Every structure is written in C-alpha cells, then in structure tokens.
Amino acid sequence: MSLDFDVFVVDPKPIPSAVPGFEEAVGAATWPQTTSTLIMDDDGALLVDCLITEQEGRELATWVKSHDCEPGYVYITHPHADHFLGLTEILAVFPQARPVALAGSIPAMQEQTSPAYMQVWGGFFPGQLTANPVSPEPLAGATIPIGGSTGTVIPVGTTDTGHSSVVHVPGLSLVVSGDAVYNQTHMWLAGSTTDSRASWARALEAVAALEADTLIAGHRNPLAADDDAHRQIEESRRYLADFETALEHSSTPPDLIARMTATYPDLANPYTLWVAAYDLLGSRT
Ligand SMILES: [Zn+2]
C-alpha cells in the first residue's frame, strides 16, 4: 500500500437550542457533520482529529482498525473539544499512538477539558462525553510521521479559535484543515472580532498558498459535491467577507441572519449562524 487517505464522517447531531426562535423558524438545532482523516502508508498511519462523543470515538477506532494499520500519531488541529474528546477512545484501542498538537495550543486544549468547559460541552451532548478527557502533548518540530512518510504541520493562527493549524501532505496534494476551512457549512463566528476574522482570512491565504488539490474540512455539508481545495478555500474566503459586510449593515440578530441566509440559503447548519448573530449583536430585536 502506498501513501493513501480515507475520511470518517459523523452525521449532524441534534443539540439543545440556546437561541430564541430557531426551532420554530428552522427546525432542530444541530452540530454540523464532522470529519476525522486517516493518512497511511505501508509502515503506519496518522489520524488527524478524533471527534467528540464516546460512541463516535469507539466507532472511529473500529473504522481505523478496519484499515489494517496502526496510527503512530494522532494529530489534533485546533483546541476545540469537538475535534479531540474522542481521543480517549482512540488511545484505549491504540495505546501506542502518540497524541500531539501545536505546543501553543496545549493550554487551550487543557482548558477545554477542565470541569467548567466539560460542563459546557456536556450541555450540548448530555451523557455522551468521556469522563476522562485527554489532552495531546506538544509536537516537536514542524513535521509529523505518517508511517515511513511525513506530513507538514502549518500553524495558521486564529481561525474559529486561536492556535489553529492544518496538516499538509504534499505526496497526496492533500490538506487536512480542521476548522480553518469549512466545506459548504456556516462558519463558527460566535465570539469573533474584526481582528479574529481578519486573522482567519489570512489563514485562508496561507492554506491557499499550499496549492493542494484536495482539502478535508473539519465540518462538511453532507450534500457537498466534493473535497476540492480551491473551491472550499474560495467559498470560505467569500463567506468571511460577506459576513463582515452583513454585520456592518445589521443592527439586530434577525437582520444579520436574514442577510446571510439570503446570500447562503443552502449552507449546512444554519444554527451556527444564529448563534453567531445572537452572540455578536446581543438579544436586541
Ligand atoms: Zn469544529
């Protein structure tokens, strides 16, 4: 087997709605479809990100095993728990795998696994999360082994959270982007600022400069046509610019939601947009 990759996908999950009127207007609130990527060669494998619930972690471990390879490393792209609480289940099945992340992201990952944050995440997924969350260790250097091959870790700064990174595998013309790029899914902009959104736009330029053909986004529209890197980066870039303009012209959450929904009627997970709108423009109506 030469260098290859495969993607594990979990479907959108229902969550309790925390914004007024969403369920009446749109339907059940959801967490978007989320991916985990296995990259492998003859000598071993690298798993990038590993989902959030215990059940997902177990299913992911079984799926990895079905590829008949052992991950030497598990890389976590950014410090959001929906991409790494499943690590506990992965390490239970692959205890030799080394979980690693950018050194700068580790404190934020440890914060995500603190009792206070676990309570927040538990509110989204009650009774479904591990009682023993694990944080990765700092990755030394900028490369990561994929069996006998290597990938490059590219820090991209603040995207939907600080200390984000992507994994570039030139041998496959592949980028695994975590949440630096979204695939036809509303982007997480709750808690964002003008500066953080500008940083995210710069991160997209850095990903574009890699000139990869294929990009696996952490969150994907189940109806997305493909994993074309150029399309996803351009669409994410345009979404950020359109959001900035819509925000400037909106004074209430419904204004912002209406503008963005008119421009993006078919993006997955509109709940993400509603959360951002109520976070950034308060509950004024
Ligand atoms: Zn995410």
Side-chain angles (χ1 to χ4, degrees), residues 8 34-38 46-52 60 63-64 73-80 82-87 90 100-101 109 165-167 176-179 216-219:
F8 185 80
T34 309
T35 66
S36 175
T37 302
L38 183 68
L46 165 68
L47 183 64
V48 184
D49 290 340
C50 48
L51 311 172
I52 182 166
L60 176 61
W63 175 85
V64 170
Y73 288 82
V74 181
Y75 184 76
I76 307 299
T77 54
H78 66 290
H80 267 166
D82 60 318
H83 300 268
F84 75 90
L85 287 186
L87 191 51
I90 297 299
V100 290
M109 289 182 182
S165 63
V166 304
V167 177
V176 184
S177 77
D179 286 357
I216 305 302
H219 298 296

Side-chain angles (χ1 to χ4, degrees), residues 224-246:
D226 54 39
D227 295 302
D228 182 82
H230 182 72
R231 174 187 63 73
Q232 293 179 75
I233 294 165
E234 279 309 306
E235 288 175 356
S236 295
R237 203 181 253 171
R238 205 175 326 131
Y239 185 94
L240 287 179
D242 288 340
F243 188 91
E244 204 64 52
T245 306

